[in-house]
Amino acid sequence: MAKRSFVPCAAIYDMQSKVFFGTLLPASPFTYEADKDELVAIFGRILGGPAGSWSRLTLGQRNQVLDALATRWLPEHAAVDIPLLPRRLRTWKKGDKADGYERLDIPAGPLARQKRYIVMLWCLLGYEPKSLDGRVSKQFGVERFVWLSEPDALATLAKDLWSRCRKAGIDPEPAEAGGTRREAAVAR
């Protein structure tokens, strides 16, 4: 059975800070302390309005800034692991009540890659990973998503989620294939 782990918002916040301060800022012409006002102005331009310092942005705003800055400051071949957020967590800020979501861990196997792709599409659409079990149960009669072992059923689910992403203006192609799915997903 697949293990479910709780991912607290504070851990997502820390992960975003590591990407910003550890990967993006060193690749830029800025230092945070010396150029803080300029960086806050850049955040505002990216977000389309006034913005605060890095620590005052919501998780959704931080992801949007990370996506935009990764496209500007990193070479084409560089990959940045920006966490996906369920819709309800996108407004969480540092200092808010503790919250998070259950991450769905996919066990290794011949269908693991396809299952991870489906979970990614599900999250891009703003759904909680654990709610995927309900969708699979209703559509295919299998109690848990990780127990779904029919390649045709997985293909059907992936095609449906792929088309839902396209209709929502989200690029569902994996980043390693040259897709830009993150920009559209965080803008929603």
Side-chain angles (χ1 to χ4, degrees):
M1 184 159 119
K3 183 180 100 180
R4 291 182 189 262
S5 357
F6 187 76
V7 180
C9 288
I12 297 168
Y13 180 91
D14 290 343
M15 205 178 332
Q16 291 172 326
S17 291
K18 285 178 185 174
V19 170
F20 180 69
F21 289 105
T23 305
L24 294 177
L25 212 49
S28 79
F30 302 105
T31 61
Y32 192 75
E33 292 305 318
D35 302 310
K36 186 174 181 177
D37 292 337
E38 178 62 26
L39 287 168
V40 168
I42 291 171
F43 300 163
R45 285 193 296 274
I46 292 169
L47 299 171
S53 66
W54 179 248
S55 62
R56 295 184 189 267
L57 300 177
T58 66
L59 292 180
Q61 290 172 327
R62 289 163 65 103
N63 265 8
Q64 193 172 350
V65 167
L66 289 175
D67 282 326
L69 296 181
T71 351
R72 290 183 194 172
W73 293 345
L74 292 179
E76 288 295 317
H77 65 278
V80 178
D81 188 22
I82 300 170
L84 296 169
L85 293 170
R87 189 173 292 126
R88 72 176 180 83
L89 298 180
R90 292 180 186 162
T91 58
W92 190 89
K93 286 184 180 180
K94 182 178 179 181
D96 285 355
K97 170 178 110 26
D99 203 352
Y101 70 93
E102 281 188 36
R103 183 182 68 218
L104 182 60
D105 292 324
I106 306 296
L111 301 173
R113 186 174 184 173
Q114 188 174 14
K115 287 181 179 181
R116 283 193 300 273
Y117 179 65
I118 289 169
V119 171
M120 182 217 44
L121 293 175
W122 191 253
C123 289
L124 282 173
L125 289 166
Y127 301 122
E128 300 265 345
K130 67 182 177 183
S131 65
L132 189 53
D133 288 340
R135 163 77 189 263
V136 167
S137 176
K138 287 178 188 169
Q139 188 171 357
F140 303 108
V142 177
E143 189 176 337
R144 301 223 181 255
F145 169 69
V146 294
W147 296 346
L148 191 59
S149 59
E150 293 295 319
D152 291 339
L154 288 169
T156 300
L157 183 57
K159 286 177 190 173
D160 177 57
L161 296 176
W162 187 89
S163 66
R164 287 174 186 253
C165 283
R166 294 300 256 187
K167 286 179 186 172
I170 300 168
D171 184 358
E173 298 304 318
E176 53 273 7
T180 57
R181 66 175 187 267
R182 300 280 319 147
E183 292 174 23
V186 295
R188 289 178 13 133

